[in-house]
């Protein structure tokens, strides 16, 4: 599979949580950018689900994580996200 851009958003909910392991994984991709405090871009051949599973290794059970592929017909995977947004997901068909 060829590389594509993935966007990663997370909330680490435990007070005083250590971000080092999460940052290490995100920075391990040759192309990576910290866009906002908890929103990153990485280029990888991993699927959103594969990337989510890799990042879950350094999160607590109550943390939130959202990974989306930046492409037409996008795929996404999430963990502990609010339910309301799921009905509003729209895929642009070309």
């Amino acid at each position: 599979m060829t590389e594509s851009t993935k966007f990663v958003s997370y909330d680490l909910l435990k007070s005083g949580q250590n971000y080092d392991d999460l940052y290490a994984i995100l920075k391990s991709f040759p192309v990576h950018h910290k866009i906002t405090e908890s929103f990153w871009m990485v280029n990888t051949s991993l699927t959103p689900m594969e990337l989510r599973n890799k990042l879950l290794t350094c999160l607590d059970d109550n943390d939130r994580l959202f990974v989306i592929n930046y492409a037409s017909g996008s795929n996404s995977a999430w963990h502990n996200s609010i339910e309301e947004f799921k009905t509003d997901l729209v895929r642009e068909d070309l």
Side-chain angles (χ1 to χ4, degrees), residues 10-52:
Y10 54 86
D11 288 320
L12 304 186
L13 300 174
K14 186 176 177 182
S15 172
Q17 190 143 10
N18 186 339
Y19 289 79
D20 293 343
D21 292 340
L22 180 65
Y23 289 167
I25 292 173
L26 293 168
K27 290 178 180 180
S28 72
F29 298 98
V31 176
H32 64 272
H33 299 281
K34 184 177 180 183
I35 296 171
T36 64
E37 191 58 37
S38 61
F39 189 71
W40 287 66
M41 184 204 112
V42 298
N43 285 352
T44 178
S45 60
L46 296 175
T47 67
M49 188 176 292
E50 291 168 337
L51 180 55
R52 178 204 61 190

